[in-house]
Amino acid sequence: MLEERLDKTMTFRVKSEEKAPAREILGVVYEALKEKGYNPISQLVGYLLSGDPAYITSHRNARNLIRKFERDELLEELIESYLNKEK
């Protein structure tokens, strides 16, 4: 029995850190920017176009949170949300 198991490839999965959905993170970042007196839409557009994290405040850890996602993932979430509201 043991010999049969040693002959097969075993898989080992480490539970990866789960990250919050992009929609949730965008909400937190939006609120953090608003709390600091910034125009959240302008700041998010600046970040999405340039990739420069300086557009996002570090208040409420917003800068670190948004950087957990690629910009294309965030854009995908925004477009999907927009189009689903139009229906």
Side-chain angles (χ1 to χ4, degrees):
M1 296 278 179
L2 180 60
E3 288 178 11
E4 289 175 13
R5 286 190 287 172
L6 293 176
D7 194 33
K8 296 183 179 182
T9 302
M10 301 292 290
T11 58
F12 181 77
R13 294 189 181 141
V14 177
K15 188 175 181 178
S16 62
E17 176 187 335
E18 291 185 28
K19 62 182 180 182
R23 179 179 302 231
E24 186 178 318
I25 296 302
L26 285 167
V28 170
V29 170
Y30 180 91
E31 290 301 320
L33 288 163
K34 200 168 153 183
E35 286 174 9
K36 293 303 280 183
Y38 296 108
N39 177 329
I41 302 300
S42 294
Q43 295 304 112
L44 284 165
V45 167
Y47 172 70
L48 291 170
L49 290 176
S50 71
D52 185 351
Y55 280 98
I56 306 300
T57 181
S58 59
H59 178 63
R60 292 178 58 186
N61 201 31
R63 189 175 296 155
N64 288 329
L65 289 173
I66 203 165
R67 292 179 77 194
K68 289 183 179 185
F69 291 91
E70 295 294 326
R71 289 180 295 152
D72 63 327
E73 292 176 286
L74 297 170
L75 284 168
E76 185 178 317
E77 178 62 39
L78 291 168
I79 292 169
E80 186 176 306
S81 177
Y82 176 80
L83 292 176
N84 285 336
K85 285 184 181 180
E86 291 294 308
K87 292 180 180 179

